[in-house]
Amino acid sequence: MRLVLVGPPGAGKGTQAQFIASHLSIPKISTGDIFRANVSGGTELGKLAKTYMDRGDLVPDEVTIAMVRGRLAEDDAQDGFLLDGFPRNVAQAEVLKKMLADLGSGLDLVLELVVDDDEVVRRLAGRRTCRSCGKVWHIDFDPPKKEGVCDACGGELFQRDDDREETIRHRLEVYQEQTAPLVNFYADEGILRGVDATGPVEEVTGRAMAELRGFTRGPAQEPDSEDES
Ligand code: ADP
Ligand code: ADP
């Protein structure tokens, strides 16, 4: 399946993406993770992206699109993928649509994680990320056994520079202005499914998987459906 996860910063996209991608055996492609890996690696792309990320602004489309184009061309993405954090505006969505159409394919579904602003702020303010493996924790909602240490790999946990209060507010504005219009874009295409992203992580994953199962059993997947008209 070719899937996109959309939702405000802190909605739980990264958290859900790892479970959904593993259930479906498709790669999770997170533009935020790729940018952060470039920042830590000190690459030219990382240096450029960092100035935008620290302010909570979007990295320019041409840079982001070139990066995604390269990633989608890799072998593991040929039979499906789950995009987390891309597209983030309608221009990126249009390019993605064209990119996939040129390969004779298209997106199957877009899952929108729905959660209100207060919850988003609570989630972002307590988010901690592992410096070694990138796994995401929360100081209250999903704390590691030992404070500051990743249970999965023993790595050091840190607070992202862009998870500070002023930047969080700006990122939410950027989401409303630039990313929220994607919801209408994909609703018009008939591939948007809203998922209530409140409550325990496993419950949210269950709701997302129910939407995906509904899709795979749906008439669009029936091989003979075109013959019936
Ligand atoms: P969050 O998980 O909080 O939604 P991400 O990790 O997805 O944030 O992204 C962090 C930052 O990386 C964004 O604020 C932005 O600066 C940059 N970024 C990620 N994806 C994109 C994209 N598709 N277009 C432009 N910038 C992006
Ligand atoms: P996004 O990628 O959308 O920015 P993350 O997956 O990084 O969001 O989640 C943001 C924070 O919220 C993390 O600290 C994560 O542990 C926590 N979180 C994710 N899902 C839930 C949930 N269902 N309930 C409580 N906290 C959650």
Side-chain angles (χ1 to χ4, degrees):
M1 284 183 104
R2 294 179 176 80
L3 303 173
V4 163
L5 266 187
V6 64
K13 299 183 298 298
T15 303
Q16 293 303 328
Q18 64 190 9
F19 293 117
I20 298 170
S22 126
H23 280 308
L24 298 174
S25 304
I26 51 178
K28 147 177 137 72
I29 300 179
S30 159
T31 41
D33 286 352
I34 304 176
F35 281 134
R36 277 185 292 279
N38 275 277
V39 171
S40 333
T43 68
E44 286 306 311
L45 173 64
K47 283 179 204 154
L48 189 150
K50 189 174 181 352
T51 56
Y52 295 93
M53 294 170 81
D54 284 350
R55 287 198 301 260
D57 285 327
L58 297 186
V59 178
D61 284 348
E62 59 194 63
V63 176
T64 307
I65 289 165
M67 181 176 89
V68 171
R69 195 185 290 281
R71 180 63 187 86
L72 289 181
E74 288 179 28
D75 283 349
D76 66 339
Q78 299 319 299
D79 294 328
F81 50 76
L82 173 57
L83 281 168
D84 155 25
F86 182 93
R88 240 180 167 93
N89 58 31
V90 172
Q92 293 180 4
E94 299 272 19
V95 173
L96 176 64
K97 188 175 174 185
K98 169 103 182 29
M99 221 187 270
L100 296 176
D102 288 346
L103 298 168
S105 75
L107 290 176
D108 294 306
L109 276 189
V110 175
L111 297 178
E112 180 199 7
L113 297 186
V114 181
V115 54
D116 67 36
D117 274 7
D118 287 347
E119 180 64 11
V120 151
V121 171
R122 277 194 288 274
R123 289 186 185 180
L124 288 179
R127 171 160 66 184
R128 297 292 183 272
T129 307
C130 175
R131 216 177 272 291
S132 308
C133 73
K135 187 167 169 24
V136 172
W137 299 89
H138 191 284
I139 52 172
D140 299 317
F141 306 142
D142 186 17
K145 287 197 192 77
K146 187 164 173 232
E147 194 185 324
V149 180
C150 178
D151 283 357
C153 76
E156 178 204 2
L157 302 188
F158 73 105
Q159 181 172 32
R160 279 169 44 175
D161 286 342
D162 58 349
D163 278 348
R164 303 189 193 285
E165 206 182 322
E166 329 73 72
T167 324
I168 290 177
R169 240 177 285 124
H170 181 60
R171 284 159 66 209
L172 288 174
E173 285 164 14
V174 169
Y175 180 79
Q176 284 309 328
E177 282 164 22
Q178 304 192 44
T179 311
L182 276 183
V183 169
N184 285 336
F185 178 90
Y186 286 125
D188 288 346
E189 303 230 314
I191 55 172
L192 183 81
R193 300 289 183 276
V195 174
D196 173 5
T198 57
V201 168
E202 319 77 69
E203 282 183 18
V204 180
T205 309
R207 287 179 209 130
M209 291 308 296
E211 288 295 343
L212 299 177
R213 276 193 293 274
F215 171 78
T216 48
R217 282 201 302 264
Q221 291 290 293
E222 297 292 334
D224 297 335
S225 58
E226 280 179 9
D227 298 340
E228 286 165 15
S229 56

